Amino acid sequence: MPISSLSLLDQHFIALSDKSAFYPHERIQVIEVENIQMLGKLAALKFIFWVIKNPNGVISLPTGKTAQAFIAALHHLKQHWHMHKVQDELAEYGIISSKFPQTSGLKFVQMDEFFLMYPGQKNSFSSYIKSKYLQFFQIPEEQVLLMDFSDMGFDLDEKVRKLFVYDRPFKLSQEEQDLQDHVFACVQKFCESYEKRIQAWGGIGFFLGGIGPDGHVAFNIAGSPITSVTRLVSLNYPSSAAAAVSLGGIEYARNKLVITIGIATILYNPEVEIIIIASGESKAEVVAQAVQGQVSKESPCSYFQSHKHTTFIVTHGAARDLYDRACERMKLAISNN
């Protein structure tokens, strides 16, 4: 499928952000949009352009609320691809193609999962991925890495769930201790294998994710080092609160264990395209910390400041605390008075 040069897409995005000219405090390219629908649309366009260039590439995409606008935009573009209005808009962004890109050659990496979710459980991230992405893209099973707890070397039974999911016993019997140690060993082996399989694919080529209330990306919560890889982690309170909606309330999410890919996993491929999306004023502080603050493990998304292919796409509310933009708004308000 013929496409125009990459510069058209980049020029359009630079025109929307242009941090070097107007926003010197911003260390990551930021696209500020009016609403979440526009956010989803721009993320989808970035993704489509990348897929056309990399039809056999490795992708990792988000789940839950973060993903909804992106998925809706993809479905709209695919359904209305042949309409003149859509074709004109695609051409504006440098995408000249008679068909929606071929996606069955892509490889998919699940970025995180709540610990001990049953395979196919409705509120699991793996179920979301299967229904929202794999069917849509028609990616075959052998090109997908999922975090499946039924295939890690231990029985996903009530004894295990009592140790890790329900009210965990304060004091373990020797049998319970041995079982816990066995599960941890199996999970560690799985994480190491998962990481190696991603590396064998050449690393993730396109990563799209949200930013959590503590600046986390995937479930790399505050305190995660830049060297972190696929591993089991315990959620902190901000991340537990964010996960509570998916798990049925904070009582089920508190101290929840999750498996997540690491920061080093995301950055393994030096050419990975990283898109971080954020909507609403509740994300304003963590967006500002990541984009214009010091690089710190307390704001894991700030690690991406040193990665040349990173873009934040955020709504006006999420951009509220970006210093240069706030000054610009203040000057405009004064001049209008």
Side-chain angles (χ1 to χ4, degrees):
M1 291 181 286
I3 59 173
S4 62
S5 66
L6 179 63
S7 61
L8 285 178
L9 183 74
D10 285 343
Q11 285 174 12
H12 199 104
F13 273 70
I14 289 171
L16 289 170
S17 60
D18 207 0
K19 67 182 178 67
S20 60
F22 300 109
Y23 309 124
H25 287 86
E26 296 176 14
R27 301 185 176 102
I28 296 176
Q29 183 184 61
V30 176
I31 312 291
E32 185 177 351
V33 298
E34 292 184 5
N35 52 54
I36 195 169
Q37 288 75 27
M38 188 62 177
L39 180 154
K41 175 182 164 184
L42 291 184
L45 289 169
K46 270 280 195 181
F47 174 74
I48 286 170
F49 195 94
W50 185 89
V51 170
I52 291 174
K53 299 284 285 185
N54 302 273
N56 300 310
V58 182
I59 62 174
S60 189
L61 304 178
T63 55
K65 289 185 177 180
T66 302
Q68 290 174 6
F70 168 71
I71 293 170
L74 282 178
H75 280 266
H76 174 81
L77 287 169
K78 186 173 185 178
Q79 184 177 356
H80 302 285
W81 192 268
H82 295 98
M83 293 179 62
H84 291 301
K85 182 180 179 181
V86 172
Q87 282 293 308
D88 290 344
E89 189 170 43
L90 291 169
E92 182 183 353
Y93 285 88
I95 301 172
I96 310 297
S97 174
S98 60
K99 297 179 180 179
F100 189 83
Q102 177 62 249
T103 54
S104 61
L106 295 172
K107 300 178 181 67
F108 195 104
V109 173
Q110 181 176 350
M111 66 178 73
D112 48 30
E113 182 62 277
F114 297 119
F115 192 55
L116 295 186
M117 279 285 188
Y118 287 115
Q121 193 167 330
K122 186 177 179 181
N123 58 341
S124 70
F125 292 149
S126 59
S127 290
Y128 191 104
I129 287 166
K130 289 175 182 177
S131 64
K132 301 295 184 180
Y133 290 128
L134 303 186
Q135 292 179 16
F136 180 76
F137 294 138
Q138 296 184 319
I139 301 176
E141 185 177 331
E142 62 269 19
Q143 294 166 205
V144 180
L145 291 183
L146 294 178
M147 296 172 174
D148 184 351
F149 296 109
S150 68
D151 191 30
M152 290 192 188
F154 57 87
D155 293 328
L156 196 59
D157 57 18
E158 288 301 298
K159 288 183 179 180
V160 169
R161 296 183 73 79
K162 178 184 175 182
L163 287 175
F164 294 99
V165 180
Y166 307 140
D167 291 334
R168 303 176 203 167
F170 178 74
K171 187 176 182 180
L172 301 181
S173 67
Q174 187 59 52
E175 181 185 1
E176 289 171 330
Q177 185 64 61
D178 291 344
L179 178 57
Q180 186 180 75
D181 291 345
H182 173 65
V183 171
F184 279 140
C186 290
V187 171
Q188 178 63 28
K189 184 178 179 180
F190 169 83
C191 290
E192 291 173 357
S193 174
Y194 200 84
E195 190 76 18
K196 288 178 181 178
R197 291 175 71 185
I198 295 171
Q199 292 178 5
W201 280 351
I204 297 166
F206 186 96
F207 179 89
L208 174 66
I211 181 170
D214 62 339
H216 73 239
V217 57
F219 271 126
N220 292 283
I221 61 175
S224 298
I226 194 170
T227 54
S228 60
V229 292
T230 304
R231 67 206 186 281
L232 184 69
V233 301
S234 180
L235 296 183
N236 55 17
Y237 184 80
S239 298
S240 294
V245 175
S246 298
L247 295 175
I250 189 63
E251 64 270 23
Y252 299 105
R254 189 181 291 112
N255 299 320
K256 186 72 176 178
L257 296 172
V258 297
I259 288 184
T260 181
I261 62 173
I263 299 295
T265 314
I266 298 169
L267 293 172
Y268 179 79
N269 178 354
E271 298 301 315
V272 58
E273 183 90 27
I274 297 173
I275 309 293
I276 303 296
I277 53 181
S279 173
E281 293 192 359
S282 64
K283 296 296 179 70
E285 184 177 353
V286 290
V287 166
Q289 289 172 347
V291 169
Q292 63 189 21
Q294 295 298 313
V295 175
S296 166
K297 65 181 181 180
E298 299 311 313
S299 175
C301 264
S302 68
Y303 290 132
F304 298 146
Q305 289 183 17
S306 61
H307 184 69
K308 61 183 178 178
H309 302 301
T310 302
T311 303
F312 272 58
I313 306 177
V314 303
T315 60
H316 291 322
R320 182 197 63 194
D321 291 351
L322 294 174
Y323 177 79
D324 296 313
R325 296 169 193 257
C327 291
E328 187 178 62
R329 289 194 299 272
M330 209 176 302
K331 290 176 183 177
L332 182 60
I334 292 171
S335 65
N336 288 338
N337 291 333

